[in-house]
Amino acid sequence: MDYLDQINLSKIPQHVAIIMDGNGRWAKGKGKLRIFGHHNGVTSVRDVVEGADKLGIKYITLYTFSSENWNRPKLEVMAIMELMVSTIHKEVPGFMKNNIKLNAIGDLDMLPEKCYNELQNAIEITAGNTGVVLTLALSYSSRREIVRAAKNIAVKVKNGELDVNDINEDVFEQNLFTGDMPNPELLIRTSGEYRISNYLLWQIAYAELYFTTKLWPDFRKEDLYEAVLDFQKRERRFGMTSEQVN
């Protein structure tokens, strides 16, 4: 089925967040090491970003490596970090050609120096691009992010930079890692798991959730189109009635 032809391009979600799950299981199913799945997951990222650009989606945020992932076997973590370094280095020319702006959120200072430097270099090189904003959530924990925002606000109040009575949802959002982008309207999770896994907990308060059994290395832009089409069939009421929003 050609989902692209059915999509209403005037009702495209501006921000799509994705939990890329299933790399390890995909590799295991083929009798390979887990890192083989991570390698093939890069192809999915490239294809999905291309699809997002075609639809006019402005922001794609990928759950790339969680704070909890540091607890995985050391060899796998090292392999993922090496893959990240080589992938970012290889992808920069493509980012420039396709006008993609790279961004990253999370406790980036926990990354190995080589990985951190490669990431920052790519972010600086692509900073002037005006197409899709591709954000990698790295060493990311939504709970830590919320605590960090609360601490930042507390310091501002203590220093007299902010009155406690002026604290509201907008002020809180400005102190999150995602303060300069709109909240996701659509959250996609692959691999058949039905949980959020500490990802963008504040930001997805009113996001539409889409779950697919596809493992991430098998996910392509056609699957993104299917998710967007499903999104467009939903009625988004934000606490109101159907009569109020229609």
Side-chain angles (χ1 to χ4, degrees):
M1 184 180 296
D2 193 344
Y3 294 108
L4 183 59
D5 291 341
Q6 302 177 56
I7 292 175
N8 183 344
L9 295 178
S10 68
K11 295 182 179 180
I12 296 296
Q14 191 176 10
H15 186 175
V16 176
I18 303 178
I19 300 175
M20 307 180 295
D21 197 18
N23 288 343
R25 275 169 285 167
W26 185 88
K28 185 177 180 180
K30 297 182 180 300
K32 303 284 187 178
L33 295 174
R34 290 175 60 86
I35 191 62
F36 182 72
H38 297 305
H39 272 279
N40 282 271
V42 173
T43 302
S44 299
V45 171
R46 191 181 300 118
D47 200 64
V48 165
V49 172
E50 180 183 314
D53 183 50
K54 182 173 289 188
L55 288 181
I57 295 170
K58 178 62 178 176
Y59 299 89
I60 289 282
T61 301
L62 305 178
Y63 205 2
T64 309
F65 192 85
S66 74
S67 297
E68 291 78 15
N69 287 155
W70 290 114
N71 297 318
R72 289 189 174 186
K74 187 175 181 180
L75 285 177
E76 181 180 352
V77 172
M78 290 174 60
I80 290 173
M81 290 299 137
E82 287 297 322
L83 173 62
M84 200 176 305
V85 169
S86 61
T87 299
I88 291 172
H89 182 76
K90 290 177 184 177
E91 294 296 322
V92 167
F95 290 160
M96 297 307 294
K97 178 182 178 182
N98 297 303
N99 198 26
I100 296 167
K101 180 178 181 178
L102 185 64
N103 183 37
I105 59 174
D107 294 319
L108 305 182
D109 55 353
M110 293 181 66
L111 298 173
E113 183 178 5
K114 186 178 180 182
C115 184
Y116 178 85
N117 291 339
E118 194 70 53
L119 177 65
Q120 291 300 326
N121 183 57
I123 289 174
E124 290 174 11
I125 291 173
T126 63
N129 290 347
T130 58
V132 176
V133 178
L134 173 61
T135 300
L136 308 180
L138 290 165
S139 189
Y140 176 83
S141 159
S142 186
R143 286 183 173 183
R144 285 191 189 181
E145 177 187 26
I146 290 170
V147 170
R148 171 183 172 274
K151 287 182 177 178
N152 288 345
I153 292 171
V155 169
K156 291 176 183 177
V157 171
K158 181 180 178 181
N159 294 339
E161 301 170 27
L162 179 67
D163 188 288
V164 68
N165 294 313
D166 292 331
I167 299 173
N168 55 28
E169 290 184 13
D170 290 337
V171 169
F172 197 87
E173 286 195 352
Q174 290 165 14
N175 284 273
L176 295 172
F177 288 128
T178 55
D180 60 348
M181 63 179 80
N183 288 326
E185 295 157 86
L186 173 63
L187 172 71
I188 299 170
R189 179 166 188 149
T190 61
S191 88
E193 301 289 355
Y194 295 87
R195 56 179 178 270
I196 304 304
S197 297
N198 197 14
Y199 186 48
L200 300 174
L201 299 178
W202 173 283
Q203 295 90 334
I204 62 168
Y206 279 102
E208 297 296 324
L209 308 184
Y210 180 87
F211 300 98
T212 174
T213 56
K214 280 273 184 84
L215 301 177
W216 179 248
D218 291 326
F219 196 89
R220 292 293 183 270
K221 56 176 170 283
E222 289 77 18
D223 299 296
L224 173 67
Y225 299 158
E226 183 178 1
V228 170
L229 185 62
D230 182 84
F231 167 85
Q232 292 187 341
K233 292 176 180 177
R234 301 186 190 185
E235 183 181 70
R236 308 189 74 217
R237 297 190 297 274
F238 303 99
M240 295 183 287
T241 65
S242 296
E243 290 74 19
Q244 286 177 296
V245 297
N246 292 321

